[in-house]
Amino acid sequence: VAQACGADALHPGYGFLSENVYLARLCEMAGITFIGPRAETIEQMGDKIAAREAMIAAGVPVVPGIERQLNSAADAESLCQQIGFPVILKAAAGKGMRLIRTLEEVRSAYEAARSEALASFGDATVYIEKYIEEPHHIEFQILGDQHGNIIHLYDRECSIQRRHQKVIEESPSSFLTDELRQRMGATAVAAAKAVGYVGAGTIEFLVDRQGNYYFLEMNTRLQVEHPVTEEVVGLDLVKEQIFIAAGRPLQYKQTDIVQRGHAIECRICAEDPENNFMPSPGVVCQLTEPNGLGVRIDGYIYEGYEIPVWYDPMISKLIVHAVKREYALERMHSALNECKITGVTTNIPYLNAILHRPDFVAGNYNTAFLEQNGEAIADYCRTNHPGEEQAQELEDLALIAAHVDYLALLERGGSSAMTSTSADPSNRWREFGKRKGVLGI
């Protein structure tokens, strides 16, 4: 398609194509600029074992583990006993991760991880790392040009995760001290320089309770959550990607980059939290998106759009920015309440419930947050967001109330009253709503 339309360059987005080394090489062969890192960098950092080896050689701290692939289930059992439980079994190519707490779980986890990795990437290679209990998942955005200049754009807190998938991200992290943030930023730059990185990328770390941090992986692409960084540092990362791909040197030095205010992103997905987060495909009947100062929404759906069953259920990203975290939280509450999507089920009530948990409000959370707060979040959703049956009852009540009011108007011969508008302060609907408590239903 790029060749057919005469494109000079191709931006692969932030999905699977963005880390597809075959696509990057095809672009090189066709003389089309791939807006991303070099193909060899994608290949090296996409292989988790090779990435670990590169980071160890560069002096970057990594999670304790075995720097080689596993040969069999028996091999996995032996190495798990050497490292000590709990451990995490990972696929070298990416997808395929299993937490193992006992020796009895090793064999089945090994086979399952290999099978998932082979189905997803055609590569069944797996390896083992020590599992860090309840860490923070913190990543640093980096930019590198074709002239050897690399800077970081500070941190993002990505610890709100379900099944290892991020749900809410924010920047800056409430957990990091200024000193730790500076050290981790310098480490991220060193990691990127070790592989001669070009383009926008992310260095991901696990940080334990004591502030020890370990390299987790490098994402050789633009991240889904890049808007929170854009909001706090004031840069357009896609624009910077294009400038870098065009051969321009970075326009900024590290000292030019400053975090201003606080940004939060919620991933809005067409899925049903009350039904084990099953995808909710269907036609979007009505869509109302929030707007206003400090509110941004990146999405693609519209009224009448049919959400298919074949792709990731994320349909938009809601981002807010404010001068302080507490104000950003208030803004996100308002924005989520203004966001209305009908025709499909979404996780908006679930996101609202997370934001109301005391530990989240205090910024006191880690990757175990959703597991530890699952019941409380579900209770909040049931209490504050009526289910389909309750919603139908409320709708019926509103219709009955409207008909009763209509009959009362007819009895008074109030045909003129029927012509009053909602802008009229004496509007009977407003008064009726205030009396009966059904205003806004």
Side-chain angles (χ1 to χ4, degrees):
V1 172
Q3 287 176 317
C5 69
D8 298 314
L10 187 152
H11 193 299
Y14 47 64
F16 283 132
L17 285 178
S18 62
E19 292 183 298
N20 188 312
V21 67
Y22 181 60
L23 175 62
R25 288 204 171 108
L26 279 178
C27 285
E28 290 177 6
M29 293 167 58
I32 295 171
T33 299
F34 181 80
I35 303 178
R38 301 182 182 95
E40 55 267 28
T41 305
I42 297 175
E43 188 170 47
Q44 180 182 17
M45 300 312 288
D47 184 317
K48 299 300 185 288
I49 295 176
R52 280 176 60 88
E53 292 172 348
M55 294 303 102
I56 291 169
V60 175
V62 300
V63 177
I66 302 299
E67 281 68 60
R68 65 170 177 82
Q69 69 183 62
L70 298 171
N71 299 316
S72 65
D75 187 24
E77 289 173 333
S78 174
L79 292 177
C80 284
Q81 289 177 300
Q82 290 180 33
I83 298 171
F85 294 99
V87 300
I88 191 124
L89 190 67
K90 292 185 176 182
K95 189 175 180 181
M97 186 182 301
R98 296 293 185 278
L99 173 62
I100 306 173
R101 294 188 177 276
T102 66
L103 184 62
E104 291 71 28
E105 298 171 8
V106 175
R107 189 169 292 271
S108 61
Y110 172 82
E111 297 298 341
R114 279 176 50 85
S115 176
E116 184 177 353
L118 184 62
S120 299
F121 299 99
D123 182 355
T125 304
V126 293
Y127 69 105
I128 290 174
E129 285 182 346
K130 177 69 177 176
Y131 181 64
I132 308 298
E133 296 277 9
E134 299 183 6
H136 284 259
H137 185 137
I138 295 175
E139 60 190 28
F140 274 72
Q141 178 71 56
I142 57 101
L143 285 176
D145 64 21
Q146 298 178 26
H147 310 280
N149 303 305
I150 297 179
I151 61 172
H152 72 79
L153 306 182
Y154 288 99
D155 56 292
R156 296 189 289 255
E157 174 70 74
C158 303
S159 296
I160 301 296
Q161 299 180 10
R162 185 182 62 80
R163 300 172 185 165
H164 303 292
Q165 294 296 314
K166 299 164 189 172
V167 177
I168 297 176
E169 303 95 356
E170 57 181 314
S171 180
S173 168
S174 301
F175 176 71
L176 299 186
T177 63
D178 289 342
E179 186 272 335
L180 182 55
R181 179 173 285 109
Q182 294 299 327
R183 281 198 290 123
M184 291 181 68
T187 300
V189 170
K193 286 184 175 179
V195 294
Y197 196 80
V198 173
T202 307
I203 306 294
E204 301 199 352
F205 296 101
L206 292 181
V207 188
D208 66 20
R209 297 167 185 167
Q210 291 73 42
N212 301 307
Y213 61 92
Y214 307 95
F215 171 82
L216 178 63
E217 64 179 351
M218 182 177 194
N219 286 296
T220 54
R221 57 181 168 88
L222 194 68
Q223 292 281 86
V224 172
E225 59 273 18
H226 75 275
V228 293
T229 293
E230 293 186 333
E231 295 300 317
V232 295
V233 302
L235 269 66
D236 183 328
L237 290 179
V238 177
K239 181 187 290 185
E240 297 303 320
Q241 282 187 295
I242 295 171
F243 285 164
I244 290 168
R248 298 189 190 182
L250 288 178
Q251 306 175 76
Y252 309 95
K253 297 180 180 178
Q254 190 64 63
T255 52
D256 297 326
I257 307 301
V258 179
Q259 288 175 306
R260 294 182 175 88
H262 198 95
I264 303 173
E265 175 182 288
C266 285
R267 301 189 184 194
I268 297 177
C269 299
E271 60 186 14
D272 186 357
E274 294 188 12
N275 188 24
N276 198 30
F277 295 90
M278 287 291 291
S280 177
V283 176
V284 177
C285 298
Q286 182 261 339
L287 172 66
T288 301
E289 295 183 334
N291 53 38
L293 182 67
V295 177
R296 165 181 171 180
I297 191 157
D298 291 5
Y300 65 91
I301 63 171
Y302 51 85
E303 291 182 0
Y305 177 79
E306 184 173 0
I307 299 172
V309 298
W310 302 287
Y311 305 111
D312 188 296
M314 188 179 74
I315 53 178
S316 64
K317 302 178 294 181
L318 179 57
I319 307 101
V320 300
H321 179 252
V323 294
K324 295 174 66 176
R325 186 175 187 268
E326 61 183 290
Y327 300 149
L329 282 172
E330 292 174 4
R331 189 160 283 168
M332 182 59 83
H333 286 311
S334 298
L336 284 171
N337 289 332
E338 291 174 20
C339 191
K340 306 296 182 185
I341 304 172
T342 64
V344 296
T345 303
T346 72
N347 66 335
I348 291 175
Y350 181 73
L351 296 168
N352 238 328
I354 294 172
L355 266 62
H356 278 86
R357 295 301 302 152
D359 281 344
F360 186 88
V361 173
N364 180 28
Y365 64 87
N366 53 46
T367 54
F369 176 86
L370 292 183
E371 182 180 350
Q372 295 170 349
N373 290 268
E375 281 301 316
I377 290 171
D379 288 344
Y380 182 93
C381 289
R382 284 190 289 267
T383 303
N384 294 276
H385 299 276
E388 188 174 326
E389 186 175 331
Q390 289 176 288
Q392 186 61 54
E393 290 177 359
L394 291 173
E395 184 178 338
D396 292 343
L397 176 62
L399 290 172
I400 293 169
H403 187 65
V404 169
D405 193 50
Y406 169 73
L407 294 176
L409 284 171
L410 290 181
E411 287 178 5
R412 296 184 179 91
S415 59
S416 62
M418 296 296 290
T419 63
S420 64
T421 65
S422 60
D424 183 352
S426 62
N427 182 276
R428 290 181 57 80
W429 271 112
R430 289 179 181 274
E431 293 303 316
F432 181 80
K434 291 176 182 176
R435 292 197 309 272
K436 299 299 183 181
V438 295
L439 187 66
I441 291 178

